[in-house]
Amino acid sequence: MLNAVIIACPCAMGLATPTSIMAGTGKGAESGILIKGGEALEGAHKLDTVVLDKTGTLTRGRPELTDVVVANGIANGRREEELLRLVASAERGSEHPLGEAIVWGAKHRDLPLYEADAFEAVSGGGIRARIEGREVLVGNRRFLSESGIPEDSLAPKSEGLAREGKTPMFVAVDGELAGLVAVADVVRVEAREAVERLHALGLEVAMLTGDNRRTAEAIARELGVDRVVAEVRPEE
């Protein structure tokens, strides 16, 4: 007697699954949602945390210049306008949204800008440029500290700006602390609703950013974000 096992699989089943995955991932891509593949999509139901970037994701990514602070007792009586002119001239070589905001802010004040003799972008730190024979550094507090420039005298002012949700940047000219410039990025109107909907799905929402911790925490409080990982360098 011949024993046999017959297995049948409808063609529609084998075709429908990959087709639906391709259609779904393609539709997601149109909305800016990139899915690595079918395996990643299948495992999505196990997610417990969603990690979001800040600038351009939770915020509009169009920051504006808000403050220019000149350090006390700096040489040559440098004024706010001259400080901003130096910083904006240095930032002309930068493609970062914060740098673009500073340049736009200077132009809005009708300040003529210098030509940079040299420019260097330091990943996760700031920029270094030579303007009219002067070395100008613009960046976060760690960047200036690592460059051997004490920044403690402006730390309280920087922290105050950060608590307001602004991003402060330290400025040094010729190895001397010269001041601060600050920019603010408006939170997306739809960001809070998105975070609330993720919470409704039982997901924890985290924010990952290279911005300073106080600024990041101010944005997180406004949006109801659960966890903040701030001051992260690109290589991290």
Side-chain angles (χ1 to χ4, degrees):
M1 178 181 293
L2 179 63
N3 295 319
V5 177
I6 300 176
I7 300 175
C9 179
C11 294
M13 183 69 71
L15 293 172
T17 301
T19 300
S20 62
I21 291 175
M22 289 178 63
T25 54
K27 193 66 178 177
E30 291 178 5
S31 300
I33 303 171
L34 303 181
I35 300 171
K36 189 174 183 179
E39 185 177 350
L41 188 63
E42 184 178 350
H45 73 283
K46 299 177 182 178
L47 293 177
D48 57 20
T49 304
V50 172
V51 182
L52 302 172
D53 182 35
K54 180 179 73 66
T55 305
T57 302
L58 294 173
T59 63
R60 292 203 173 279
R62 294 194 296 271
E64 295 182 0
L65 179 69
T66 58
D67 299 83
V68 179
V69 180
V70 178
N72 293 327
I74 62 173
N76 304 322
R78 196 175 294 113
R79 298 173 301 164
E80 290 184 6
E81 292 82 1
E82 178 62 12
L83 179 65
L84 177 57
R85 188 181 179 192
L86 282 171
V87 175
S89 298
E91 290 285 5
R92 289 175 73 180
S94 173
E95 298 180 350
H96 196 283
L98 302 183
E100 293 175 355
I102 294 170
V103 173
W104 186 90
K107 290 181 176 179
H108 184 69
R109 291 164 172 77
D110 296 322
L111 297 179
L113 302 184
Y114 301 112
E115 289 294 329
D117 300 321
F119 175 86
E120 178 190 4
V122 181
S123 180
I127 63 167
R128 181 181 287 108
R130 182 160 291 278
I131 309 293
E132 295 288 293
R134 288 169 287 185
E135 185 181 31
V136 180
L137 275 66
V138 186
N140 57 36
R141 186 175 181 180
R142 180 171 56 187
F143 175 54
L144 260 68
S145 178
E146 292 175 350
S147 300
I149 300 171
E151 76 300 322
D152 294 346
S153 62
L154 283 177
K157 181 63 177 178
S158 171
E159 292 172 359
L161 292 169
R163 281 193 293 268
E164 296 173 10
K166 301 173 182 178
T167 300
M169 287 168 280
F170 289 82
V171 183
V173 178
D174 292 334
E176 178 186 7
L177 183 64
L180 288 170
V181 291
V183 301
D185 195 2
V186 179
V187 170
R188 286 182 180 270
V189 176
E190 63 273 22
R192 173 173 283 279
E193 180 185 356
V195 172
E196 289 175 349
R197 292 178 68 177
L198 290 170
H199 283 156
L201 294 172
L203 296 169
E204 180 185 20
V205 181
M207 181 171 69
L208 185 70
T209 179
D211 209 340
N212 72 79
R213 176 161 295 280
R214 290 188 182 276
T215 300
E217 288 176 345
I219 298 295
R221 283 193 300 271
E222 185 175 350
L223 295 175
V225 171
D226 304 302
R227 185 151 49 104
V228 174
V229 183
E231 300 175 1
V232 180
R233 292 181 173 181
E235 63 270 20
E236 297 173 319

